[in-house]
Amino acid sequence: MTLAKAYAALEPKAPLEPFTFERRAPNEDDVVIDILYSGVCHSDIHQVRDEWFPGIYPQVPGHEIVGRVREVGAKVTKFKEGDAVGVGCFVDSCIHCQTRDVDTEQYRVDEIVVTYNGRDRDGLPTYGGYSDHIVVKEGYVLKVPEHLPLDGAAPLLCAGITLWSPLKHWNAGPGKKVAIVGLGGLGHMGVKLAHALGAEVTVLSQSLAKKDDALALGADHYYATNDAETFKTLAGSFDLIINTVSAPIDWNAYLGLLKIDGTMVLVGIPENPIPVHAFSLIMGRRSLAGSSIGSIKETQEMLDFCGAHNIVSDIELIDIQNINEAYERVIKSDVRYRFVIDIASLK
Ligand code: NAP
Ligand code: ZN
């Protein structure tokens, strides 16, 4: 076992503070990773504040992890000391299955071990990336293209894959009109990825404040949702809407922006059930769908695509001592466009 330095919430809704804990000794199929950067996902805030379900405490958040391999177990073949690697939202899957479901493992909720706020196969709590190192089975470690800036690459491990997976599943590409609702951590990755896939991309943001940024990120169009005219102008426009917002919004108004047979995919996770009128779906054979992160296989595909297209997240790099202030800014939609913790500040 090795002692890990970290930041944790010691109880629900508590601010994060310094914390130390033991990482398990590596098994022969494990990779030990010195963490360099850890992205700050809005899901970290939902979870340390118990907004979805009662969490496990102390809780060390962080599932957008990039680092370098410190050592590998005897049976590890894909990685060697010094490699740039990533870890996303889960560190094991199919724990009761004969064979691993490589395509949809993330949906086997009783079978995956989440990177933090979960329990490992041994029943012990998992601790995430706001820490100086992590021990992960080889099959759940991603190769990060070496030429990408590693701080900007960290958010690909959650924000990137969470938008990539639905964009690919619903065939975003040339000839498709795609709207991204909410230009935050997930949303700005959606713009970059949908644009690189060849889709016509519209950003729907609360105000005009982020318009210049959105166009620079690759959006073709930008509309403010605090202007009622937006919903009239864009009625029936989109093949695909990806909704990243977790606050209460008028779901029916957004569904009205879909073409016949269009789909709105929820990736944002509101605390409360969402009110949807049947007519919003029926009058247009529209679909309302959801999507959760992605498999390790498609996460690697996304990283390789980002490597080929030089796509990383736009980030604000912070010291871990500023994490509580960063959370407040995320809640106010005041981040351009992802906070990433420089783990060197922990040492
Ligand atoms: P974020 O950076 O806070 O972005 C959310 C964006 O939503 C904000 O930037 C803002 O964009 C918009 N927004 C905020 N409050 C709003 C309001 N009251 N009305 C309308 N729009 C509002 O968060 P994130 O890290 O991208 O995460 C977004 C959500 O996705 C969270 O619920 C998170 O837990 C969830 N998530 C889901 C998955 C998955 O697998 N499905 C994975 C990761 C995260 P504008 O300023 O442009 O309006
Ligand atoms: Zn996340």
Side-chain angles (χ1 to χ4, degrees):
M1 297 220 276
T2 48
L3 202 61
K5 282 188 179 177
Y7 260 55
L10 300 185
E11 56 185 60
K13 304 186 197 306
L16 271 62
E17 58 180 90
F19 174 68
T20 51
F21 66 95
E22 300 273 2
R23 288 278 186 208
R24 71 162 188 266
N27 297 314
E28 50 189 9
D29 58 350
D30 278 332
V31 179
V32 183
I33 301 163
D34 283 319
I35 299 175
L36 295 172
Y37 301 107
S38 194
V40 177
C41 181
H42 205 125
S43 302
D44 300 345
I45 305 173
H46 289 304
Q47 291 186 82
V48 296
R49 298 186 177 185
D50 267 4
E51 287 172 359
W52 293 337
F53 49 80
I56 301 167
Y57 295 86
Q59 188 177 129
V60 177
H63 57 207
E64 294 185 336
I65 300 168
V66 165
R68 288 203 181 269
V69 174
R70 181 195 295 180
E71 63 176 275
V72 296
K75 288 200 174 152
V76 170
T77 58
K78 286 193 288 181
F79 300 99
K80 61 178 189 325
E81 191 188 329
D83 284 352
V85 291
V87 178
C89 297
F90 58 100
V91 290
D92 207 344
S93 70
C94 298
I95 56 176
H96 304 104
C97 317
Q98 292 261 319
T99 51
R100 181 172 168 185
D101 171 9
V102 291
D103 291 317
T104 49
E105 58 191 343
Q106 74 274 28
Y107 296 113
R108 297 186 172 253
V109 288
D110 296 327
E111 301 292 339
I112 65 168
V113 176
V114 290
T115 304
Y116 71 88
N117 200 18
R119 295 203 177 269
D120 217 332
R121 281 177 192 247
D122 55 12
L124 295 173
T126 52
Y127 294 118
Y130 298 7
S131 60
D132 61 3
H133 71 287
I134 190 166
V135 181
V136 181
K137 278 170 76 170
E138 173 179 31
Y140 299 85
V141 178
L142 287 307
K143 287 180 193 286
V144 176
E146 287 278 355
H147 65 281
L148 293 179
L150 297 185
D151 49 3
L156 301 179
L157 277 302
C158 175
I161 183 58
T162 299
L163 272 290
W164 172 261
S165 184
L167 287 169
K168 291 291 282 182
H169 186 79
W170 277 276
N171 301 313
K176 289 287 169 73
K177 292 191 174 188
V178 175
I180 304 289
V181 186
L183 196 67
L186 267 54
H188 93 291
M189 286 313 309
V191 173
K192 290 189 182 205
L193 293 169
H195 174 71
L197 287 166
E200 184 178 334
V201 185
T202 299
V203 168
L204 300 173
S205 181
Q206 291 167 90
S207 73
L208 290 173
K210 298 177 179 173
K211 182 172 182 178
D212 291 346
D213 287 356
L215 299 179
L217 290 164
D220 299 287
H221 315 283
Y222 183 102
Y223 290 85
T225 53
N226 62 5
D227 180 352
E229 280 302 310
T230 291
F231 291 91
K232 291 182 192 158
T233 309
L234 297 178
S237 292
F238 299 109
D239 298 289
L240 177 65
I241 299 175
I242 303 198
N243 196 328
T244 75
V245 177
S246 55
I249 54 173
D250 183 349
W251 301 94
N252 299 298
Y254 287 88
L255 285 166
L257 304 184
L258 290 171
K259 289 180 181 174
I260 294 169
D261 284 331
T263 301
M264 179 157 81
V265 183
L266 305 190
V267 292
I269 311 174
E271 194 174 350
N272 296 312
I274 60 171
V276 172
H277 201 294
F279 276 127
S280 304
L281 298 171
I282 288 169
M283 302 310 287
R285 199 163 57 191
R286 296 169 175 136
S287 301
L288 179 60
S291 185
S292 179
I293 48 173
S295 67
I296 294 296
K297 184 176 138 190
E298 60 186 335
T299 306
Q300 190 62 61
E301 286 165 8
M302 177 273 309
L303 285 167
D304 295 345
F305 180 89
C306 288
H309 292 80
N310 282 312
I311 293 174
V312 289
S313 178
D314 285 19
I315 64 158
E316 290 189 45
L317 194 64
I318 58 165
D319 288 345
I320 200 158
Q321 291 76 11
N322 298 327
I323 187 65
N324 295 305
E325 184 194 334
Y327 276 14
E328 293 309 318
R329 284 188 51 202
V330 171
I331 288 164
K332 288 188 218 140
S333 307
D334 174 27
V335 50
R336 303 212 173 184
Y337 279 89
R338 195 59 140 187
F339 286 116
V340 171
I341 303 165
D342 183 354
I343 294 297
S345 63
L346 189 56
K347 288 170 184 154

